[in-house]
């Protein structure tokens, strides 16, 4: 087993913060889609805990953390209620929400990789589950909202790539027996900064070489 990189209370607080921000993004999409209160809460919860739930089921960490900690249930509900009543104000600080979302992405890709490795997965597969932890909730959100997942769309800033980089750095540090609070924070910060740069400069992943399709971009 790996050493505990952070005190449990600190890690739990960071986890809840990431869940809250992801829940905000899910609730905002639900409002834009004109969902009712139940739909808003479902989309908020799916976005917040979807990635971690998929990870825990794959590695056999059952019951999943989302069903053993009341904070994982209450936090998305609180976020959904806030957005339901204050969504115009939340929309106005959407840039700030994007920054916190990037922070959650960085944190979850490292936490997911570490937890998957602790449960016996090889490093390449642990890194894959790190990416799933970070980005899986967004995929579940978009599928439930009947949209093409954002991380699959060329016309959106890169999202999975920063998570891949952060999770890969974490896996390499584990391989080198160099994972500690400083290096794990560096992995998370790298994913965070890459995501912020993608938002700021509109970085997108390349498409197929010599692409000839005339299909219009989706709005």
């Amino acid at each position: 087993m790996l050493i505990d990189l952070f005190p449990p209370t600190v890690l739990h607080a960071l986890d809840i913060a990431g869940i809250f921000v992801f829940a905000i993004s899910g609730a905002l999409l639900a409002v834009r889609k004109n969902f009712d209160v139940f739909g808003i809460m479902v989309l908020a919860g799916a976005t917040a805990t979807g990635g971690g739930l998929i990870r825990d089921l794959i590695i056999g960490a059952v019951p999943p953390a989302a069903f053993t900690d009341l904070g994982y249930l209450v936090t998305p509900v609180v976020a959904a209620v806030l957005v339901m009543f204050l969504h115009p104000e939340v929309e106005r600080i959407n840039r700030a929400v994007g920054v916190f979302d990037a922070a959650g992405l960085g944190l979850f890709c490292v936490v997911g990789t570490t937890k998957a490795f602790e449960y016996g997965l090889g490093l390449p597969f642990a890194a894959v589950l790190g990416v799933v932890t970070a980005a899986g909730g967004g995929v579940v959100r978009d599928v439930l909202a009947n949209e093409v997942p954002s991380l699959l769309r060329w016309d959106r800033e890169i999202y999975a790539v920063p998570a891949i980089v952060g999770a890969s750095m974490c896996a390499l540090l584990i391989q080198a027996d160099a994972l500690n609070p400083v290096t794990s924070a560096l992995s998370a910060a790298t994913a965070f900064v890459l995501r912020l740069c993608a938002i700021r400069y509109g970085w997108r992943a390349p498409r197929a070489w010599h692409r000839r399709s005339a299909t219009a971009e989706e709005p």
Side-chain angles (χ1 to χ4, degrees), residues 19 36 42 57 63-64 100 109 115 147 202-203 215:
I19 286 172
D36 63 14
V42 167
L57 291 176
F100 286 111
C109 72
K115 185 171 183 178
E147 291 199 345
W203 290 351
T215 302

Side-chain angles (χ1 to χ4, degrees), residues 92-104:
R92 281 198 287 270
I93 62 168
N94 202 35
R95 183 179 296 273
V97 172
V99 172
F100 286 111
D101 180 83

Side-chain angles (χ1 to χ4, degrees), residues 2-214:
L2 293 175
I3 60 170
D4 290 328
L5 298 177
F6 300 98
T9 52
V10 173
L11 192 57
H12 185 262
L14 292 172
D15 209 19
I16 292 297
I19 286 172
F20 180 77
V21 174
F22 284 162
I24 289 287
S25 71
L28 282 173
L29 178 59
V31 170
R32 295 185 192 115
K33 289 283 187 174
N34 203 29
F35 287 7
D36 63 14
V37 58
F38 181 73
I40 294 172
M41 289 188 178
V42 167
L43 215 59
T47 309
T49 62
L53 183 62
I54 294 169
R55 176 204 62 212
D56 287 351
L57 291 176
I58 290 175
I59 64 179
V62 292
F67 291 96
T68 59
D69 188 324
L70 189 60
Y72 286 74
L73 174 65
V74 172
T75 302
V77 171
V78 171
V81 171
L82 286 175
V83 169
M84 189 170 65
F85 290 103
L86 302 174
H87 62 89
E89 287 73 17
V90 175
E91 289 279 13
R92 281 198 287 270
I93 62 168
N94 202 35
R95 183 179 296 273
V97 172
V99 172
F100 286 111
D101 180 83
L105 178 81
L107 171 67
F108 284 1
C109 72
V110 171
V111 170
T113 302
T114 302
K115 185 171 183 178
F117 180 74
E118 288 180 338
Y119 272 78
L121 264 66
L123 287 174
F125 302 104
V128 169
L129 279 191
V131 177
V132 169
T133 305
V139 174
V140 174
R141 174 201 64 205
D142 291 342
V143 169
L144 289 175
N146 198 30
E147 291 199 345
V148 177
S150 295
L151 85 166
L152 300 180
R153 293 178 57 172
W154 177 87
D155 57 327
R156 299 292 174 85
E157 298 87 356
I158 55 173
Y159 194 87
V161 172
I164 292 170
V165 172
S168 299
M169 284 183 62
C170 182
L172 291 172
L173 288 165
I174 294 173
Q175 178 68 42
D177 196 25
L179 191 68
N180 56 53
V182 173
T183 56
S184 63
L186 178 62
S187 300
T190 300
F192 171 65
V193 171
L194 283 175
R195 175 58 182 161
L196 287 185
C197 288
I199 295 172
R200 173 66 177 81
Y201 298 108
W203 290 351
R204 299 176 179 178
R207 289 184 286 182
W209 191 252
H210 295 309
R211 177 177 176 273
R212 292 289 185 264
S213 173

